[in-house]
Amino acid sequence: MRKTVLAVTILASLNLAIPGHAVPPPTFPITILALGGGGGCYFESTGSTTHGKLGTGPNFQNSDSSSHTVSQRDGFWDFSVAAGDSRFTLIHASGGYVASCDGANASVVYRTALKAPAKPATPSFTVAWADSSADASWTYEVQYRIGSGAWRSWKHGTTKRSATFSGATNKTYFFEARATAGGGTTNWSPARKVAT
């Protein structure tokens, strides 16, 4: 049985400039492999982490002799990667992104955290769950918890990409977010800890 190999690598601390394009910010170097036979493939993480910051994302490298389609479950991306070619996608909204290879074997391939200061100077601080390149039609849910308490809804169905959170002093907050495109809603992002 013929095995196919589709490697996914994350752009990692490359200092390469492309004319007319900003240098991608550094992120965690990881590799995700898709192994299969009979025209199928699936993702398998071989790195120590699968999450990064807003504006980073996975680079799908196809080492097989056939092309493969990489689709994101919620409609954030859907493209083919030709044999011996690679294609990367940058993620502009916080969430857990589930992708499939050739329409099967879906798994979380990348989790993007939201932005918030770890130790803000005041108990009121900015939380950002999408960057300026996020599509204007996307909506977001953002929730928080205090310490180990229950999650509480903060923003629901908002098109805003950030907001100011008014907290209290000497508290530990956790924030997570997920994004909705035309096709569906991502999983929740990794939780971001903020200690006031």
Side-chain angles (χ1 to χ4, degrees):
M1 178 181 288
R2 181 178 62 89
K3 284 190 174 183
T4 63
V5 178
L6 175 66
V8 180
T9 56
I10 303 302
L11 295 173
S13 302
L14 297 178
N15 191 19
L16 303 174
I18 301 171
H21 294 82
V23 175
T27 186
F28 300 101
I30 67 168
T31 300
I32 301 172
L33 298 176
L35 307 173
C41 52
Y42 65 90
F43 299 113
E44 178 182 298
S45 176
T46 59
S48 60
T49 181
T50 57
H51 40 298
K53 300 176 182 179
L54 289 170
T56 65
N59 182 34
F60 297 89
Q61 182 178 348
N62 186 0
S63 300
D64 188 34
S65 58
S66 301
S67 65
H68 293 286
T69 300
V70 178
S71 304
Q72 200 282 324
R73 179 193 65 193
D74 310 302
F76 286 89
W77 69 75
D78 183 27
F79 50 76
S80 291
V81 186
D85 202 358
S86 63
R87 182 165 176 180
F88 73 89
T89 182
L90 299 182
I91 296 176
H92 300 290
S94 298
Y97 290 81
V98 177
S100 63
C101 184
D102 293 343
N105 303 313
S107 62
V108 175
V109 298
Y110 205 72
R111 300 179 73 220
T112 305
L114 49 73
K115 292 174 65 176
K119 292 185 178 290
T122 68
S124 293
F125 51 89
T126 300
V127 179
W129 47 87
D131 65 22
S132 60
S133 296
D135 192 288
S137 68
W138 297 348
T139 60
Y140 310 96
E141 291 179 67
V142 187
Q143 60 184 13
Y144 74 97
R145 74 179 189 212
I146 304 172
S148 59
W151 287 103
R152 305 176 188 185
S153 178
W154 181 37
K155 303 292 180 183
H156 181 75
T158 184
T159 56
K160 292 184 177 180
R161 298 170 179 152
S162 65
T164 299
F165 183 83
S166 298
T169 56
N170 299 317
K171 296 286 185 182
T172 300
Y173 296 96
F174 293 88
F175 295 87
E176 61 181 13
R178 59 186 180 182
T180 298
T185 301
T186 69
N187 292 359
W188 288 104
S189 69
R192 172 65 173 163
K193 179 181 178 180
V194 179
T196 58

